[in-house]
């Protein structure tokens, strides 16, 4: 009888068992021999070679001792020299300060002599001008030119920095946000004030005792205001001789007066104006007054 052919049995291939000896030996080696042993071995080799620690030989130890002694000697000598040089430096500094004081006194004495000579020259010029022509005209010319001392009614205007004013920078502080913190009066502010007073009818003007003339200049050197190359410090007291009440009203209503008022409102500049019955303004130094005469040409025949 025919039956179904029998298939050969499937043989299963047995897998090779993994020996635990290799992996376990590697793990055991890592656990038993850490990196500390490597460091220990390196230290042992270095110690055996004689590279670490203090010098072993007597000669090496003597060399180290001599080096330490020399280092200590250098430090000691340096300290001793500094102590000896300190009085010498202090003495030289005192001598330099004394020399500066002497030179400053000499410069002040020379400046006083120059001022006295200027006053003498101005007095002689005024006398010569009076003797050369009409005395009334000479006085008028002297007043207008600033060559003579004047007094009379007028206006006193005080301009001062803001209360929170501090030293400004090298640039223009009004063009930066920092001017509200500096609040300093600038040279162009004083120029506008003086020009406004002249335009309002002032006959003579001075700033902090410096008489202004047609040749005067108001400039700046850093944060200082110079009038005829002489530095001024705030507050700036401006005296103007003229019709007091009229001069005050015209100035405050002028463009320059409104400009000064804007400085007070926006930047904290302090101002005060008052009408005075009698103001005295000094003469300007080194003013040479000359009178001109018309020149007539002779006709030709």
């Amino acid at each position: 009888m025919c039956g179904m052919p029998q298939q050969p049995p499937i043989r299963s291939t047995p897998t090779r068992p993994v020996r635990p000896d290799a992996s376990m030996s590697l793990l055991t080696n890592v656990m038993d021999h850490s990196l500390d042993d490597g460091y220990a071995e390196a230290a042992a080799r270095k110690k055996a070679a004689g590279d670490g620690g203090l010098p072993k030989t007597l000669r090496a130890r003597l060399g180290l001792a001599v080096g330490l002694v020399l280092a200590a000697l250098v430090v000691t000598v340096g300290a001793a020299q500094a102590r000896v040089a300190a009085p010498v430096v202090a003495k030289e500094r005192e001598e330099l300060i004394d020399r500066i004081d002497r030179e400053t006194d000499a410069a002040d004495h020379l400046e006083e002599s120059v001022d006295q000579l200027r006053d003498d020259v101005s007095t002689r010029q005024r006398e010569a001008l009076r003797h050369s022509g009409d005395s009334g005209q000479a006085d008028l010319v002297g007043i207008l030119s600033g060559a003579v001392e004047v007094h009379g009614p007028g206006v006193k205007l005080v301009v001062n920095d803001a209360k929170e004013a501090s030293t400004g920078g090298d640039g223009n502080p009004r063009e930066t946000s920092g001017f509200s913190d500096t609040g300093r009066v600038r040279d162009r502010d004083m120029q506008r004030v003086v020009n406004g007073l002249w335009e309002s009818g002032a006959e003579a003007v001075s700033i902090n005792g410096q008489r202004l003339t047609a040749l005067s200049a108001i400039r700046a050197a850093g944060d200082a205001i110079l009038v005829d190359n002489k530095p001024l410090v705030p507050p700036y007291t401006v005296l103007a001789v003229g019709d007091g009440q009229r001069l005050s009203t015209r100035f405050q209503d002028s463009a320059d007066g409104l400009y000064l008022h804007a400085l007070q409102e926006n930047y904290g500049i302090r101002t005060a104006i008052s009408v005075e019955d009698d103001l005295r303004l000094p003469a300007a130094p080194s003013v040479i007054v000359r009178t001109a005469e018309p020149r007539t040409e002779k006709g030709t025949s």
Side-chain angles (χ1 to χ4, degrees):
M1 61 184 288
C2 297
M4 295 295 292
Q6 295 181 356
Q7 296 179 354
I10 301 175
R11 296 179 180 180
S12 59
T13 304
T15 59
R16 181 177 295 180
V18 180
R19 296 177 59 185
D21 297 338
S23 61
M24 291 302 295
S25 61
L26 178 61
L27 182 60
T28 302
N29 187 25
V30 172
M31 295 296 296
D32 293 341
H33 302 281
S34 61
L35 294 177
D36 293 338
D37 294 338
Y39 287 117
E41 293 177 1
R45 289 195 302 269
K46 186 176 182 181
K47 183 176 181 180
D51 296 337
L54 295 175
K56 300 300 183 180
T57 63
L58 179 60
R59 184 175 183 180
R61 291 181 180 179
L62 289 177
L64 178 61
V66 171
L68 293 176
V69 171
L70 290 177
L73 182 61
V74 170
V75 173
T76 303
V77 171
Q81 289 180 351
R83 181 175 297 179
V84 172
V88 177
V89 174
K91 183 178 180 180
E92 292 178 354
R93 182 175 180 274
E94 292 178 357
E95 292 178 353
L96 181 60
I97 293 176
D98 294 339
R99 182 179 177 183
I100 292 174
D101 293 337
R102 291 194 302 268
E103 296 297 333
T104 302
D105 294 338
D108 294 339
H109 180 70
L110 291 175
E111 187 175 357
E112 292 177 358
S113 300
V114 170
D115 292 337
Q116 293 177 357
L117 292 174
R118 285 177 176 174
D119 294 339
D120 186 36
V121 171
S122 299
T123 302
R124 293 176 182 273
Q125 288 177 348
R126 291 192 294 269
E127 292 296 332
L129 187 61
R130 288 192 180 93
H131 290 299
S132 62
D134 186 6
S135 60
Q137 183 180 1
D139 293 338
L140 179 60
V141 171
I143 292 174
L144 296 178
S145 63
V148 297
E149 180 182 356
V150 297
H151 71 92
V155 168
K156 178 181 179 181
L157 176 62
V158 180
V159 183
N160 198 0
D161 295 336
K163 292 182 179 180
E164 298 80 8
S166 60
T167 304
D170 295 334
N172 185 358
R174 295 260 172 93
E175 295 179 356
T176 62
S177 59
F179 184 76
S180 59
D181 298 331
T182 60
R184 295 182 62 85
V185 180
R186 315 308 296 183
D187 56 331
R188 69 167 179 263
D189 302 334
M190 299 307 301
Q191 291 174 2
R192 295 202 59 169
V193 167
V194 171
N195 290 334
L197 289 172
W198 286 120
E199 186 178 0
S200 300
E203 300 175 2
V205 180
S206 68
I207 303 178
N208 285 14
Q210 296 293 323
R211 181 74 174 275
L212 301 181
T213 68
L215 303 177
S216 297
I218 302 176
R219 297 188 178 92
D223 290 323
I225 295 179
L226 305 182
V227 175
D228 292 336
N229 295 325
K230 291 187 177 181
L232 305 181
V233 295
Y236 306 102
T237 302
V238 184
L239 302 180
V241 173
D243 188 348
Q245 188 60 48
R246 181 182 179 186
L247 179 60
S248 175
T249 302
R250 293 185 62 181
F251 172 75
Q252 295 185 66
D253 293 338
S254 65
D256 297 316
L258 296 177
Y259 171 82
L260 186 61
H261 181 71
L263 293 182
Q264 182 179 5
E265 293 293 329
N266 298 327
Y267 302 107
I269 301 298
R270 292 171 288 176
T271 63
I273 188 170
S274 61
V275 178
E276 304 293 333
D277 295 333
D278 188 21
L279 298 174
R280 292 188 175 273
L281 278 64
S286 301
V287 175
I288 300 175
V289 180
R290 298 182 177 91
T291 57
E293 297 180 357
R295 179 181 179 184
T296 58
E297 296 182 357
K298 297 181 179 180
T300 59
S301 57

